[in-house]
Coordinates of all heavy atoms in Angstrom, one line a residue:
M90 N 87.6 116.6 116.0 CA 88.7 116.1 115.1 C 88.0 115.3 114.0 O 87.3 114.3 114.3 CB 89.7 115.3 115.8 CG 90.7 114.6 114.9 SD 91.6 115.4 113.7 CE 92.4 116.7 114.6
N91 N 88.2 115.7 112.8 CA 87.8 114.9 111.6 C 88.6 113.6 111.5 O 89.8 113.6 111.8 CB 87.8 115.7 110.3 CG 86.7 116.8 110.3 OD1 85.7 116.7 111.0 ND2 87.0 117.8 109.5
I92 N 88.1 112.6 110.9 CA 88.8 111.4 110.5 C 88.7 111.2 109.0 O 87.8 111.6 108.4 CB 88.4 110.2 111.3 CG1 86.9 109.9 111.0 CG2 88.6 110.4 112.8 CD1 86.4 108.5 111.6
C93 N 89.7 110.4 108.5 CA 89.6 110.1 107.1 C 88.4 109.2 106.9 O 88.1 108.2 107.6 CB 90.9 109.3 106.7 SG 90.9 108.6 105.0
Q94 N 87.6 109.5 105.9 CA 86.4 108.8 105.6 C 86.6 107.6 104.8 O 85.7 107.0 104.2 CB 85.4 109.8 104.9 CG 84.9 110.9 105.8 CD 84.1 110.3 106.9 OE1 83.1 109.6 106.7 NE2 84.6 110.6 108.1
S95 N 87.9 107.1 104.8 CA 88.2 105.9 104.1 C 88.9 104.9 105.1 O 88.5 103.8 105.3 CB 89.2 106.1 102.9 OG 89.6 104.9 102.3
C96 N 89.9 105.4 105.9 CA 90.7 104.5 106.8 C 90.5 104.9 108.2 O 91.0 104.1 109.1 CB 92.1 104.5 106.4 SG 93.0 106.0 106.8
S97 N 89.9 106.0 108.6 CA 89.6 106.5 109.9 C 90.8 107.1 110.7 O 90.6 107.4 111.9 CB 88.9 105.4 110.8 OG 89.9 104.5 111.3
I98 N 91.9 107.4 110.1 CA 93.0 108.0 110.8 C 92.6 109.5 111.1 O 91.8 110.1 110.3 CB 94.4 107.9 110.2 CG1 94.5 108.8 108.9 CG2 94.8 106.5 110.0 CD1 95.9 109.0 108.5
P99 N 93.1 110.1 112.1 CA 92.7 111.5 112.4 C 93.3 112.4 111.2 O 94.4 112.2 110.8 CB 93.5 111.8 113.7 CG 93.7 110.5 114.4 CD 93.8 109.5 113.2
L100 N 92.5 113.3 110.8 CA 92.8 114.2 109.7 C 93.5 115.4 110.1 O 93.0 116.5 109.9 CB 91.6 114.5 108.9 CG 91.3 113.6 107.7 CD1 90.1 114.2 106.9 CD2 92.5 113.4 106.8
Y101 N 94.7 115.3 110.8 CA 95.5 116.4 111.1 C 96.0 117.0 109.7 O 96.0 116.3 108.7 CB 96.7 116.0 111.9 CG 96.4 115.4 113.2 CD1 96.7 114.1 113.5 CD2 95.8 116.2 114.2 CE1 96.3 113.5 114.7 CE2 95.5 115.7 115.5 CZ 95.8 114.3 115.7 OH 95.4 113.8 116.9
E102 N 96.2 118.3 109.7 CA 96.6 119.0 108.5 C 97.7 118.3 107.7 O 97.6 118.1 106.5 CB 97.1 120.4 108.9 CG 97.0 121.4 107.8 CD 95.6 121.9 107.5 OE1 94.6 121.6 108.3 OE2 95.4 122.5 106.4
K103 N 98.7 117.8 108.4 CA 99.8 117.1 107.7 C 99.4 115.8 107.1 O 100.2 115.2 106.3 CB 101.0 116.9 108.7 CG 100.7 115.9 109.8 CD 102.0 115.8 110.7 CE 101.7 114.9 111.9 NZ 102.9 114.8 112.7
Y104 N 98.3 115.2 107.4 CA 97.8 113.9 106.9 C 96.8 114.1 105.8 O 96.4 113.1 105.2 CB 97.3 113.0 108.0 CG 98.4 112.6 108.9 CD1 98.1 112.7 110.3 CD2 99.6 112.1 108.5 CE1 99.1 112.3 111.2 CE2 100.6 111.7 109.4 CZ 100.3 111.8 110.8 OH 101.3 111.4 111.7
K105 N 96.3 115.3 105.5 CA 95.3 115.5 104.5 C 95.7 115.1 103.1 O 96.8 115.5 102.7 CB 94.7 116.9 104.6 CG 94.0 117.2 105.8 CD 93.4 118.6 105.8 CE 92.5 118.8 107.0 NZ 91.8 120.1 107.0
G106 N 94.8 114.4 102.4 CA 95.1 114.1 101.0 C 94.8 115.4 100.1 O 94.5 116.4 100.7
T107 N 94.9 115.3 98.8 CA 94.7 116.4 98.0 C 93.6 116.2 97.0 O 93.4 115.1 96.5 CB 96.0 116.7 97.2 OG1 96.4 115.5 96.5 CG2 97.1 117.2 98.1
N108 N 92.9 117.3 96.7 CA 91.8 117.3 95.7 C 92.4 117.5 94.3 O 93.6 117.8 94.2 CB 90.8 118.4 96.0 CG 90.1 118.1 97.3 OD1 89.6 117.0 97.6 ND2 90.1 119.1 98.2
K109 N 91.6 117.4 93.3 CA 92.1 117.6 91.9 C 92.8 119.0 91.7 O 93.7 119.1 90.9 CB 91.0 117.4 90.9 CG 90.6 116.0 90.7 CD 89.6 115.8 89.6 CE 89.1 114.4 89.6 NZ 89.1 113.8 88.3
D110 N 92.3 120.0 92.4 CA 92.8 121.3 92.3 C 94.0 121.6 93.2 O 94.4 122.7 93.4 CB 91.7 122.4 92.5 CG 91.1 122.3 94.0 OD1 91.6 121.5 94.8 OD2 90.2 123.1 94.3
S111 N 94.5 120.5 93.8 CA 95.7 120.5 94.7 C 95.4 121.1 96.1 O 96.2 121.2 97.0 CB 96.9 121.3 94.1 OG 97.3 120.7 93.0
S112 N 94.1 121.4 96.4 CA 93.7 121.9 97.7 C 93.7 120.6 98.6 O 93.6 119.5 98.1 CB 92.4 122.6 97.7 OG 91.4 121.6 97.3
L113 N 93.8 120.9 99.9 CA 93.7 119.8 100.9 C 92.3 119.2 101.0 O 91.4 120.0 101.1 CB 94.3 120.2 102.2 CG 95.8 120.6 102.2 CD1 96.2 121.0 103.6 CD2 96.6 119.4 101.8
S114 N 92.2 117.9 101.1 CA 90.9 117.3 101.3 C 90.5 117.4 102.8 O 91.3 117.1 103.7 CB 91.0 115.8 100.9 OG 89.8 115.2 101.2
N115 N 89.3 117.7 103.1 CA 88.8 117.7 104.4 C 88.1 116.4 104.8 O 87.5 116.2 105.8 CB 87.8 118.8 104.6 CG 88.5 120.2 104.7 OD1 89.6 120.3 105.3 ND2 88.0 121.1 104.0
E116 N 88.2 115.4 103.8 CA 87.5 114.1 104.0 C 88.5 112.9 104.0 O 88.2 111.9 104.6 CB 86.4 113.9 102.9 CG 85.3 114.9 103.0 CD 84.2 114.6 102.0 OE1 84.6 114.2 100.9 OE2 83.1 114.8 102.4
Y117 N 89.6 113.0 103.3 CA 90.4 111.8 103.1 C 91.9 112.2 103.4 O 92.4 113.3 103.1 CB 90.3 111.3 101.7 CG 88.9 110.9 101.4 CD1 88.1 111.6 100.5 CD2 88.3 109.7 101.9 CE1 86.8 111.3 100.2 CE2 87.0 109.3 101.7 CZ 86.2 110.1 100.8 OH 84.9 109.7 100.5
C118 N 92.6 111.2 103.8 CA 94.0 111.4 104.2 C 94.9 111.1 102.9 O 94.5 110.6 101.9 CB 94.5 110.4 105.3 SG 94.6 108.7 104.8
K119 N 96.2 111.5 103.1 CA 97.2 111.4 102.0 C 97.5 109.9 101.7 O 98.0 109.6 100.6 CB 98.4 112.2 102.3 CG 99.2 111.6 103.5 CD 100.4 112.5 103.7 CE 101.3 112.0 104.9 NZ 102.4 112.9 105.1
Y120 N 97.2 109.0 102.6 CA 97.5 107.6 102.4 C 96.4 107.0 101.5 O 96.7 106.0 100.8 CB 97.6 106.9 103.7 CG 98.7 107.5 104.6 CD1 98.3 108.1 105.8 CD2 100.0 107.4 104.2 CE1 99.3 108.7 106.6 CE2 101.0 108.0 105.1 CZ 100.6 108.6 106.2 OH 101.6 109.2 107.0
C121 N 95.3 107.6 101.5 CA 94.1 107.0 100.7 C 93.8 107.8 99.5 O 93.2 107.3 98.5 CB 92.9 107.0 101.6 SG 93.0 105.9 103.0
Y122 N 94.1 109.1 99.5 CA 93.6 110.0 98.5 C 94.6 111.0 98.0 O 95.3 111.6 98.7 CB 92.4 110.8 99.1 CG 91.4 111.4 98.2 CD1 90.5 110.7 97.5 CD2 91.3 112.8 98.2 CE1 89.5 111.3 96.7 CE2 90.3 113.4 97.4 CZ 89.4 112.6 96.7 OH 88.5 113.2 95.9
E123 N 94.7 111.1 96.6 CA 95.7 112.0 96.0 C 95.2 112.5 94.7 O 94.7 111.7 93.9 CB 97.0 111.3 95.8 CG 98.2 112.1 95.3 CD 99.4 111.3 95.3 OE1 99.5 110.2 94.6 OE2 100.4 111.7 95.9
N124 N 95.3 113.8 94.5 CA 94.8 114.4 93.2 C 93.3 114.1 92.9 O 93.0 113.9 91.8 CB 95.7 114.0 92.0 CG 97.1 114.5 92.2 OD1 97.4 115.6 92.7 ND2 98.1 113.7 91.9
G125 N 92.5 114.0 94.0 CA 91.1 113.8 93.8 C 90.7 112.4 93.5 O 89.5 112.1 93.1
E126 N 91.6 111.5 93.7 CA 91.3 110.1 93.5 C 91.8 109.2 94.6 O 92.9 109.5 95.2 CB 91.9 109.6 92.1 CG 91.3 110.3 90.9 CD 91.9 109.8 89.6 OE1 92.7 108.8 89.6 OE2 91.6 110.4 88.6
F127 N 91.2 108.1 94.8 CA 91.7 107.1 95.8 C 92.9 106.4 95.2 O 93.0 106.1 94.0 CB 90.6 106.0 96.1 CG 89.5 106.6 96.9 CD1 88.3 106.8 96.3 CD2 89.7 107.0 98.2 CE1 87.2 107.3 97.1 CE2 88.7 107.6 99.0 CZ 87.4 107.7 98.4
K128 N 93.9 106.3 96.0 CA 95.2 105.6 95.5 C 95.0 104.2 95.2 O 95.7 103.7 94.3 CB 96.3 105.8 96.6 CG 96.8 107.2 96.8 CD 97.8 107.2 97.8 CE 98.7 108.5 97.7 NZ 99.9 108.4 98.6
E129 N 94.2 103.5 95.9 CA 93.9 102.1 95.7 C 92.4 101.8 95.5 O 91.6 102.4 96.2 CB 94.3 101.2 96.9 CG 95.8 101.4 97.3 CD 96.8 100.8 96.3 OE1 96.3 99.8 95.5 OE2 97.9 101.2 96.3
D130 N 92.1 101.0 94.5 CA 90.7 100.6 94.2 C 90.4 99.4 95.0 O 90.6 98.3 94.5 CB 90.5 100.4 92.7 CG 89.1 100.1 92.4 OD1 88.2 100.5 93.1 OD2 88.9 99.5 91.3
R131 N 90.0 99.5 96.2 CA 89.7 98.4 97.1 C 88.3 98.3 97.5 O 87.6 99.3 97.5 CB 90.5 98.6 98.4 CG 92.0 98.5 98.3 CD 92.6 98.6 99.7 NE 94.1 98.4 99.6 CZ 95.0 99.2 100.1 NH1 94.6 100.3 100.8 NH2 96.2 99.0 99.9
T132 N 87.9 97.1 97.9 CA 86.6 96.9 98.5 C 86.7 97.2 100.0 O 87.9 97.2 100.5 CB 86.1 95.5 98.3 OG1 87.0 94.6 99.0 CG2 86.0 95.1 96.8
L133 N 85.7 97.3 100.7 CA 85.7 97.4 102.1 C 86.5 96.2 102.8 O 87.4 96.4 103.6 CB 84.3 97.5 102.8 CG 84.3 97.5 104.3 CD1 85.1 98.6 104.9 CD2 82.8 97.5 104.7
E134 N 86.2 95.0 102.3 CA 86.9 93.9 102.8 C 88.4 93.9 102.6 O 89.2 93.6 103.4 CB 86.3 92.6 102.2 CG 84.9 92.3 102.8 CD 83.8 93.2 102.2 OE1 84.0 93.8 101.1 OE2 82.8 93.4 102.9
E135 N 88.8 94.4 101.4 CA 90.2 94.5 101.1 C 90.9 95.6 101.9 O 92.0 95.4 102.3 CB 90.4 94.8 99.6 CG 90.1 93.7 98.7 CD 90.0 94.0 97.2 OE1 89.7 95.2 96.9 OE2 90.1 93.1 96.4
E136 N 90.2 96.7 102.2 CA 90.7 97.7 103.0 C 90.9 97.2 104.5 O 91.9 97.5 105.1 CB 89.8 98.9 103.0 CG 90.3 100.1 103.8 CD 91.4 100.8 103.2 OE1 91.9 100.5 102.1 OE2 92.0 101.8 103.9
I137 N 90.0 96.4 104.9 CA 90.1 95.9 106.3 C 91.3 95.0 106.4 O 92.1 95.1 107.3 CB 88.8 95.1 106.7 CG1 87.7 96.1 106.9 CG2 89.0 94.2 107.9 CD1 86.3 95.5 107.0
E138 N 91.5 94.1 105.4 CA 92.7 93.2 105.4 C 94.0 94.0 105.3 O 95.0 93.7 106.0 CB 92.6 92.2 104.2 CG 91.5 91.2 104.4 CD 91.5 90.4 105.7 OE1 92.6 89.9 106.0 OE2 90.5 90.3 106.3
H139 N 94.0 95.1 104.6 CA 95.1 96.0 104.4 C 95.5 96.6 105.8 O 96.7 96.8 106.1 CB 94.9 97.0 103.4 CG 95.9 98.1 103.3 ND1 97.2 97.9 102.8 CD2 95.9 99.4 103.7 CE1 97.9 99.0 102.9 NE2 97.1 99.9 103.5
L140 N 94.5 97.0 106.5 CA 94.7 97.7 107.8 C 94.9 96.8 109.0 O 95.5 97.3 110.0 CB 93.5 98.6 108.1 CG 93.2 99.8 107.1 CD1 91.9 100.5 107.4 CD2 94.4 100.7 107.2
I141 N 94.6 95.6 108.9 CA 94.7 94.7 110.1 C 96.1 94.7 110.7 O 96.3 94.9 111.9 CB 94.3 93.2 109.8 CG1 92.8 93.1 109.7 CG2 94.8 92.2 110.8 CD1 92.2 91.8 109.3
P142 N 97.2 94.6 109.9 CA 98.5 94.6 110.6 C 98.8 95.8 111.4 O 99.4 95.8 112.4 CB 99.5 94.4 109.4 CG 98.7 93.8 108.3 CD 97.3 94.3 108.5
M143 N 98.4 97.0 110.8 CA 98.6 98.3 111.5 C 97.7 98.4 112.8 O 98.1 98.9 113.8 CB 98.4 99.4 110.6 CG 99.4 99.5 109.5 SD 99.0 100.7 108.2 CE 98.0 99.7 107.1
Y144 N 96.5 97.8 112.6 CA 95.6 97.9 113.7 C 95.9 97.1 114.9 O 95.8 97.5 116.1 CB 94.2 97.5 113.2 CG 93.0 97.8 114.2 CD1 92.6 99.1 114.3 CD2 92.4 96.8 114.9 CE1 91.5 99.4 115.1 CE2 91.4 97.1 115.8 CZ 91.0 98.4 115.9 OH 89.9 98.7 116.7
I145 N 96.5 95.9 114.7 CA 96.8 95.0 115.8 C 98.2 95.3 116.3 O 98.6 94.7 117.4 CB 96.7 93.5 115.4 CG1 97.6 93.1 114.3 CG2 95.2 93.2 115.1 CD1 97.6 91.6 114.0
D146 N 99.0 96.1 115.7 CA 100.4 96.4 116.0 C 100.5 96.7 117.5 O 101.4 96.2 118.2 CB 100.9 97.5 115.2 CG 102.4 97.7 115.4 OD1 103.1 96.7 115.4 OD2 102.9 98.8 115.5
D147 N 99.7 97.5 118.1 CA 99.8 97.9 119.5 C 98.6 97.4 120.3 O 98.4 98.0 121.4 CB 100.0 99.4 119.6 CG 98.8 100.2 119.1 OD1 98.0 99.6 118.4 OD2 98.8 101.4 119.3
R148 N 97.9 96.4 119.8 CA 96.8 95.9 120.6 C 97.0 94.4 120.8 O 97.6 93.7 119.9 CB 95.5 96.1 119.8 CG 95.1 97.6 119.7 CD 93.9 97.7 118.7 NE 93.5 99.1 118.6 CZ 94.0 100.0 117.8 NH1 95.0 99.6 117.0 NH2 93.5 101.2 117.7
D149 N 96.5 93.9 121.8 CA 96.6 92.5 122.1 C 95.3 91.8 121.7 O 94.5 91.3 122.5 CB 96.9 92.2 123.6 CG 97.2 90.8 123.9 OD1 97.6 90.0 123.0 OD2 96.9 90.4 125.1
I150 N 95.1 91.7 120.4 CA 93.9 91.1 119.8 C 94.3 90.2 118.6 O 95.3 90.4 118.0 CB 92.8 92.2 119.4 CG1 93.4 93.1 118.3 CG2 92.3 93.0 120.6 CD1 92.3 94.0 117.7
S151 N 93.4 89.3 118.3 CA 93.6 88.5 117.2 C 93.2 89.2 115.9 O 92.6 90.2 115.9 CB 92.7 87.2 117.3 OG 91.4 87.5 117.1
K152 N 93.6 88.6 114.8 CA 93.2 89.1 113.4 C 91.7 89.1 113.3 O 91.2 90.1 112.7 CB 93.9 88.3 112.3 CG 95.4 88.6 112.2 CD 95.9 87.9 111.0 CE 97.4 88.2 110.8 NZ 98.0 87.6 109.6
E153 N 91.1 88.1 113.8 CA 89.6 88.0 113.6 C 89.0 89.1 114.5 O 88.0 89.8 114.0 CB 89.1 86.7 114.1 CG 87.6 86.5 113.8 CD 87.2 86.8 112.3 OE1 87.9 86.4 111.4 OE2 86.1 87.4 112.1
E154 N 89.4 89.4 115.7 CA 88.9 90.5 116.5 C 89.1 91.8 115.8 O 88.3 92.7 115.8 CB 89.6 90.5 117.9 CG 89.1 89.3 118.8 CD 90.0 89.2 120.0 OE1 91.2 89.3 119.9 OE2 89.4 89.0 121.1
A155 N 90.3 92.0 115.2 CA 90.6 93.2 114.5 C 89.7 93.4 113.3 O 89.2 94.5 113.0 CB 92.1 93.2 114.0
R156 N 89.4 92.3 112.6 CA 88.5 92.3 111.4 C 87.1 92.8 111.9 O 86.5 93.7 111.2 CB 88.4 90.9 110.9 CG 88.4 90.8 109.4 CD 88.4 89.4 108.9 NE 89.8 89.1 108.4 CZ 90.6 88.2 108.9 NH1 90.3 87.5 110.0 NH2 91.8 88.0 108.4
V157 N 86.6 92.3 113.0 CA 85.3 92.7 113.5 C 85.3 94.2 113.9 O 84.4 94.9 113.5 CB 84.9 91.8 114.6 CG1 83.6 92.3 115.3 CG2 84.6 90.4 114.2
E158 N 86.3 94.6 114.6 CA 86.4 96.0 115.0 C 86.5 96.9 113.9 O 85.9 98.0 113.8 CB 87.6 96.2 116.0 CG 87.3 95.6 117.4 CD 88.4 95.8 118.3 OE1 89.2 96.7 118.2 OE2 88.5 95.0 119.3
L159 N 87.4 96.6 112.9 CA 87.6 97.5 111.7 C 86.3 97.6 110.9 O 86.0 98.7 110.4 CB 88.7 97.0 110.9 CG 90.1 97.3 111.4 CD1 91.2 96.5 110.7 CD2 90.4 98.8 111.3
K160 N 85.6 96.5 110.8 CA 84.3 96.6 110.0 C 83.3 97.5 110.7 O 82.7 98.3 110.0 CB 83.7 95.2 109.9 CG 82.4 95.2 109.1 CD 82.3 94.0 108.2 CE 81.1 94.1 107.4 NZ 81.2 93.8 106.0
K161 N 83.3 97.5 112.0 CA 82.4 98.4 112.8 C 82.8 99.9 112.6 O 82.0 100.8 112.5 CB 82.4 98.1 114.2 CG 81.6 96.9 114.6 CD 81.6 96.6 116.1 CE 81.0 95.3 116.5 NZ 81.1 95.0 117.9
I162 N 84.2 100.1 112.5 CA 84.7 101.5 112.4 C 84.5 102.0 111.0 O 84.1 103.1 110.8 CB 86.2 101.5 112.8 CG1 86.3 101.2 114.3 CG2 86.8 102.8 112.4 CD1 87.8 100.9 114.7
L163 N 84.9 101.2 110.0 CA 84.9 101.6 108.6 C 83.6 101.7 107.9 O 83.3 102.5 107.1 CB 85.9 100.8 107.8 CG 87.4 100.8 108.2 CD1 88.2 99.9 107.3 CD2 87.9 102.2 108.3
S164 N 82.7 100.7 108.2 CA 81.4 100.6 107.5 C 80.6 101.9 107.4 O 80.1 102.2 106.3 CB 80.5 99.5 108.1 OG 81.1 98.2 107.9
P165 N 80.5 102.7 108.5 CA 79.7 103.9 108.4 C 80.5 105.1 107.7 O 79.8 106.1 107.4 CB 79.4 104.3 109.8 CG 80.3 103.4 110.7 CD 80.9 102.4 109.8
L166 N 81.7 104.9 107.4 CA 82.5 106.1 106.7 C 82.0 106.3 105.3 O 81.5 105.4 104.6 CB 84.0 105.8 106.8 CG 84.6 105.6 108.1 CD1 86.1 105.4 108.0 CD2 84.4 106.9 109.0
K167 N 82.2 107.5 104.9 CA 81.6 108.0 103.6 C 82.0 107.1 102.4 O 81.2 106.7 101.6 CB 82.1 109.4 103.3 CG 81.5 110.0 102.0 CD 81.9 111.4 101.9 CE 81.3 112.0 100.6 NZ 81.6 113.4 100.4
R168 N 83.3 106.7 102.3 CA 83.7 105.8 101.2 C 83.0 104.5 101.2 O 82.8 104.0 100.1 CB 85.2 105.6 101.3 CG 85.7 104.8 100.1 CD 87.2 104.7 100.1 NE 87.7 103.9 98.9 CZ 88.9 103.6 98.7 NH1 89.8 103.9 99.5 NH2 89.2 102.9 97.6
W169 N 82.7 103.9 102.3 CA 82.2 102.6 102.4 C 80.7 102.5 102.6 O 80.1 101.5 102.3 CB 82.9 101.8 103.5 CG 84.4 102.0 103.4 CD1 85.2 102.6 104.3 CD2 85.2 101.5 102.3 NE1 86.5 102.6 103.8 CE2 86.6 101.9 102.6 CE3 85.0 100.8 101.2 CZ2 87.6 101.6 101.8 CZ3 86.1 100.5 100.4 CH2 87.4 100.9 100.7
S170 N 80.1 103.5 103.1 CA 78.6 103.4 103.5 C 77.7 103.3 102.3 O 76.6 102.8 102.4 CB 78.2 104.6 104.3 OG 78.3 105.8 103.6
K171 N 78.2 103.6 101.1 CA 77.4 103.5 99.9 C 77.4 102.1 99.4 O 76.7 101.7 98.5 CB 77.8 104.5 98.9 CG 79.2 104.3 98.4 CD 79.6 105.4 97.5 CE 81.1 105.3 97.2 NZ 81.8 106.6 97.3
N172 N 78.3 101.2 99.9 CA 78.5 99.8 99.4 C 77.4 98.9 100.0 O 77.1 99.0 101.1 CB 79.9 99.3 99.6 CG 80.9 100.0 98.8 OD1 80.6 100.6 97.8 ND2 82.1 99.9 99.2

């Protein structure tokens, strides 16, 4: 299973973003990517802060623990590995 190379959600067909030619992206989800562009111009740190509430929603961890885990998950992804 592929994951979004920005936020790491599973890239099921229904979650795929769109490229400039309206085809489905095999790299990014619809929450991050639309018409060949990222929806939000965020840094990795901003993306982590954005995702923390969703990440801890069903986990018994602190925001700081979530921050550390998300950094490990997101840092190697295509969108962030070049930073």
Side-chain angles (χ1 to χ4, degrees):
M90 167 56 55
N91 289 336
I92 61 170
C93 175
Q94 292 297 301
S95 178
C96 72
S97 83
I98 69 165
L100 265 185
Y101 297 113
E102 204 70 17
K103 66 182 179 179
Y104 294 131
K105 289 185 175 185
T107 55
N108 297 310
K109 285 186 188 226
D110 64 2
S111 298
S112 65
L113 294 178
S114 172
N115 289 318
E116 295 183 325
Y117 300 106
C118 74
K119 66 182 181 180
Y120 304 111
C121 294
Y122 200 69
E123 185 176 58
N124 298 320
E126 296 182 6
F127 292 108
K128 289 182 160 187
E129 302 289 338
D130 184 23
R131 294 185 176 125
T132 64
L133 173 58
E134 290 73 24
E135 290 168 336
E136 183 72 5
I137 290 169
E138 292 304 311
H139 171 74
L140 293 174
I141 284 175
M143 293 169 273
Y144 192 77
I145 64 174
D146 188 42
D147 61 348
R148 293 172 180 85
D149 186 25
I150 61 173
S151 69
K152 286 184 178 182
E153 188 53 40
E154 289 169 314
R156 222 174 254 112
V157 170
E158 289 182 21
L159 283 166
K160 181 139 183 135
K161 286 180 187 175
I162 293 166
L163 298 182
S164 293
L166 299 180
K167 185 176 180 178
R168 181 175 184 187
W169 312 112
S170 64
K171 60 185 172 224
N172 292 342

